[in-house]
Amino acid sequence: MIEVLEAGLATSVQDTGRTGYYRYGIPPSGAVDAYSSRAANILVGNAEDAAVLECTYLGPRLRFTEPAVVAVTGADMPAQIAGEEVPGWAALRVTAGDELSFTFLRAGARAYVAVRGGIDVPEVLGSRSTYGIAGFGGHEGRTLRVGDSLVVGDSPSAPPAAEGFETPRDLRPVLARENDVRVVMGLYDDRLTDRGRADFLAAAWTLTPVADRVGFRYCGAQLEWVEREQPFGAGADPSNIVDAGYPIGSIQVPAGSEPIVLHRDAVSGGGYAMVATVISADMDVVGQSAPGTTTRFVEVDLDEALAARAHRAERLELLRWAARP
């Protein structure tokens, strides 16, 4: 059992997400930084889709009532066990009564805590992930609160990483304050003028404090739209269209001034033009961005997007091999 002594700012139970329900308006949810979530599970010997804790900006303080193996990955949010700082990206042993806590965030935005056996909460539509807007999944459909108790599942057959093993730096994400995020342009980039399209790719966009699991809002330029008479069913904003489905990672720009990257808890459709979509391999980069981070959107084609996804998969495979005891 894990007792929540301090809840952190927005700590929730997440896994790799639920699939097959987006067409009904239910987003995938799941870890915003999927690579770090999977890596934490690899380190403790769990299946990679086991439920973990996603800790945003400020970590929780947790007490373990029995011995456990844990790993902390993702953001640079130094962890402590029994008051002593411990390395991140490693399998760590805790004894009954030990407390896991965190100091202040130094880089990134979200840390992940995996516990050998996984966080044992009921599956909803095939996933243990929290979807807070609808109030289901995770622990009672919400972020953690002081006084909550979390059940740990049965230990898996796979062993955790050897004591003393720390994930090599080149297999950890780069947590930068200036990022290039690769995008595939479309479906509605033709609604921008040539200048508007060029400005979207040239601008240095700054992440605003409006950044959560639904979407990340940026500021930094004013985009120019093609003038037209809005069709029946579209709104008056120049970025409005007749409603369409939103892919996860798609970027809408209401009024042409503040791009919003839709993330794991995003709505499935609406009336804003999607001028580009962040490639799957770079969604973790967006998820680890804290307010004030500067981002440039870099256009790539589908072949480059697929190559980036393959490279990400290769890094996870390298970690699987490196972490074997």
Side-chain angles (χ1 to χ4, degrees), residues 7 17-18 21 46 61 66 86 88 105 111 126 141 143 145 151 169-170 184 186 196 216 236 238 293 301 321:
R18 52 183 56 86
Y21 300 96
N46 286 343
R61 183 163 63 95
E66 53 192 6
V86 292
L105 179 71
T143 56
R145 298 173 185 164
V151 176
R169 290 285 174 183
D170 62 347
V184 175
F216 289 66
T293 300
D301 60 26
W321 280 96

Side-chain angles (χ1 to χ4, degrees), residues 14 62 77 96 114 117 122 142 197-198 217 239 243 250 252 255 316:
Q14 302 293 340
L62 310 170
M77 188 187 295
R142 57 170 173 79
R197 193 180 190 279
R217 185 186 293 265
S239 69
D243 286 8
S250 60
Q252 53 188 234
L316 274 171

Side-chain angles (χ1 to χ4, degrees), residues 18 29 124 129-143 265:
R18 52 183 56 86
S29 299
V124 178
S129 287
T130 307
Y131 180 34
I133 293 174
F136 65 75
H139 181 73
E140 300 181 359
R142 57 170 173 79
T143 56
D265 283 354

Side-chain angles (χ1 to χ4, degrees), residues 1-3 62-66 68 70 94-98 100 115:
M1 189 77 70
I2 303 172
E3 299 172 343
L62 310 170
R63 179 189 291 134
F64 291 79
T65 63
E66 53 192 6
V70 303
V94 298
T95 60
D98 277 351
L100 173 67
V115 183

Side-chain angles (χ1 to χ4, degrees), residues 35 37 39 119 125 131 138 150 155 160 183 201 220-221 325:
Y35 181 93
S37 172
I119 305 298
L125 300 177
Y131 180 34
L150 303 173
S155 291
V183 300
L201 294 168

Side-chain angles (χ1 to χ4, degrees), residues 118-325:
I119 305 298
D120 189 6
V121 294
E123 287 191 4
V124 178
L125 300 177
S127 170
R128 291 183 167 87
S129 287
T130 307
Y131 180 34
I133 293 174
F136 65 75
H139 181 73
E140 300 181 359
R142 57 170 173 79
T143 56
L144 299 187
R145 298 173 185 164
V146 173
D148 285 341
S149 294
L150 303 173
V151 176
V152 177
D154 295 332
S155 291
S157 57
E163 190 168 353
F165 171 82
E166 295 184 29
T167 302
R169 290 285 174 183
D170 62 347
L171 295 180
R172 306 183 193 187
V174 176
L175 305 171
R177 295 290 291 177
E178 296 182 0
N179 293 316
D180 286 344
V181 169
R182 292 165 290 185
V183 300
V184 175
M185 297 301 293
L187 299 169
Y188 294 93
D189 58 323
D190 61 318
R191 292 291 304 114
L192 294 170
T193 65
D194 289 345
R195 177 172 180 174
R197 193 180 190 279
D199 286 348
F200 171 75
L201 294 168
W205 299 100
T206 300
L207 183 62
T208 73
V210 184
D212 57 25
R213 294 181 50 81
V214 174
F216 289 66
R217 185 186 293 265
Y218 298 80
C219 64
Q222 178 66 49
L223 304 185
E224 184 177 81
W225 297 90
V226 174
E227 292 187 11
R228 68 168 182 173
E229 182 178 341
Q230 294 292 84
F232 177 78
D237 188 295
S239 69
N240 282 149
I241 56 171
V242 179
D243 286 8
Y246 291 155
I248 295 295
S250 60
I251 305 174
Q252 53 188 234
V253 195
S257 60
E258 294 190 334
I260 301 170
V261 177
L262 299 182
H263 222 293
R264 302 290 298 185
D265 283 354
V267 296
S268 58
Y272 288 107
M274 298 153 280
V275 300
T277 300
V278 176
I279 68 172
S280 59
D282 283 2
M283 287 294 284
D284 297 346
V285 177
V286 175
Q288 286 294 0
S289 299
T293 300
T294 300
T295 295
R296 293 184 184 275
F297 297 116
V298 178
E299 182 179 7
V300 297
D301 60 26
L302 288 177
D303 287 340
E304 291 170 300
L306 290 171
R309 186 168 69 180
H311 177 66
R312 180 178 176 273
E314 289 169 2
R315 293 178 71 232
L316 274 171
E317 183 63 19
L318 288 172
L319 178 56
R320 294 184 193 108
W321 280 96
R324 289 186 175 185

